[in-house]
Short mmCIF file of all heavy atoms in Angstrom, two decimals:
data_model
loop_
_atom_site.label_atom_id
_atom_site.label_comp_id
_atom_site.label_asym_id
_atom_site.label_seq_id
_atom_site.Cartn_x
_atom_site.Cartn_y
_atom_site.Cartn_z
N VAL A 74 15.25 4.58 13.89
CA VAL A 74 15.19 4.02 12.49
C VAL A 74 14.31 4.89 11.63
O VAL A 74 14.63 5.22 10.48
CB VAL A 74 14.89 2.54 12.47
CG1 VAL A 74 14.56 2.07 11.04
CG2 VAL A 74 15.78 1.61 13.25
N ASN A 75 13.23 5.17 12.21
CA ASN A 75 12.20 6.00 11.40
C ASN A 75 12.76 7.35 11.03
O ASN A 75 12.60 7.89 9.97
CB ASN A 75 10.95 6.15 12.16
CG ASN A 75 9.90 5.05 11.88
OD1 ASN A 75 10.05 4.29 10.91
ND2 ASN A 75 8.88 4.89 12.63
N ARG A 76 13.50 7.91 12.00
CA ARG A 76 14.24 9.27 11.69
C ARG A 76 15.14 9.04 10.45
O ARG A 76 15.05 9.93 9.55
CB ARG A 76 14.98 9.70 12.90
CG ARG A 76 15.73 11.04 12.65
CD ARG A 76 16.56 11.44 13.89
NE ARG A 76 15.69 11.65 14.95
CZ ARG A 76 14.94 12.76 15.18
NH1 ARG A 76 15.01 13.69 14.37
NH2 ARG A 76 14.13 12.86 16.31
N ASP A 77 15.95 8.09 10.45
CA ASP A 77 16.88 7.84 9.35
C ASP A 77 16.03 7.56 8.00
O ASP A 77 16.39 8.14 6.97
CB ASP A 77 17.79 6.76 9.67
CG ASP A 77 18.92 7.14 10.51
OD1 ASP A 77 19.20 8.32 10.77
OD2 ASP A 77 19.59 6.15 11.10
N LEU A 78 15.05 6.78 8.09
CA LEU A 78 14.26 6.51 6.96
C LEU A 78 13.62 7.73 6.37
O LEU A 78 13.63 7.96 5.13
CB LEU A 78 13.15 5.47 7.25
CG LEU A 78 13.55 4.10 7.71
CD1 LEU A 78 12.31 3.23 8.07
CD2 LEU A 78 14.22 3.35 6.47
N ALA A 79 13.14 8.65 7.27
CA ALA A 79 12.54 9.88 6.88
C ALA A 79 13.41 10.77 6.27
O ALA A 79 13.09 11.45 5.21
CB ALA A 79 11.83 10.51 8.06
N ILE A 80 14.66 10.85 6.75
CA ILE A 80 15.71 11.76 6.15
C ILE A 80 15.98 11.29 4.71
O ILE A 80 16.10 12.13 3.76
CB ILE A 80 17.03 11.88 7.08
CG1 ILE A 80 16.61 12.59 8.43
CG2 ILE A 80 18.02 12.58 6.33
CD1 ILE A 80 17.67 12.45 9.48
N ALA A 81 16.15 10.06 4.57
CA ALA A 81 16.51 9.40 3.34
C ALA A 81 15.35 9.73 2.29
O ALA A 81 15.59 10.07 1.14
CB ALA A 81 16.82 7.96 3.38
N ALA A 82 14.13 9.54 2.82
CA ALA A 82 13.05 9.91 1.97
C ALA A 82 12.98 11.29 1.53
O ALA A 82 12.77 11.67 0.32
CB ALA A 82 11.65 9.54 2.66
N ARG A 83 13.17 12.21 2.47
CA ARG A 83 13.19 13.64 2.23
C ARG A 83 14.28 14.03 1.09
O ARG A 83 14.04 14.79 0.24
CB ARG A 83 13.56 14.53 3.50
CG ARG A 83 13.52 15.96 3.26
CD ARG A 83 13.91 16.64 4.62
NE ARG A 83 15.31 16.39 4.90
CZ ARG A 83 15.89 16.28 6.08
NH1 ARG A 83 15.14 16.34 7.17
NH2 ARG A 83 17.17 16.12 6.26
N GLU A 84 15.45 13.41 1.37
CA GLU A 84 16.57 13.82 0.44
C GLU A 84 16.46 13.27 -0.98
O GLU A 84 17.25 13.61 -1.86
CB GLU A 84 17.86 13.50 1.09
CG GLU A 84 18.07 14.35 2.44
CD GLU A 84 19.48 14.24 2.98
OE1 GLU A 84 20.29 13.49 2.48
OE2 GLU A 84 19.59 14.97 4.06
N THR A 85 15.66 12.18 -1.11
CA THR A 85 15.49 11.53 -2.45
C THR A 85 14.16 11.78 -3.12
O THR A 85 14.04 11.41 -4.28
CB THR A 85 15.73 9.99 -2.27
OG1 THR A 85 14.72 9.49 -1.29
CG2 THR A 85 17.15 9.63 -1.80
#
Side-chain angles (χ1 to χ4, degrees):
V74 171
N75 271 346
R76 176 180 302 278
D77 282 344
L78 294 173
I80 293 169
R83 181 187 71 214
E84 293 189 358
T85 57

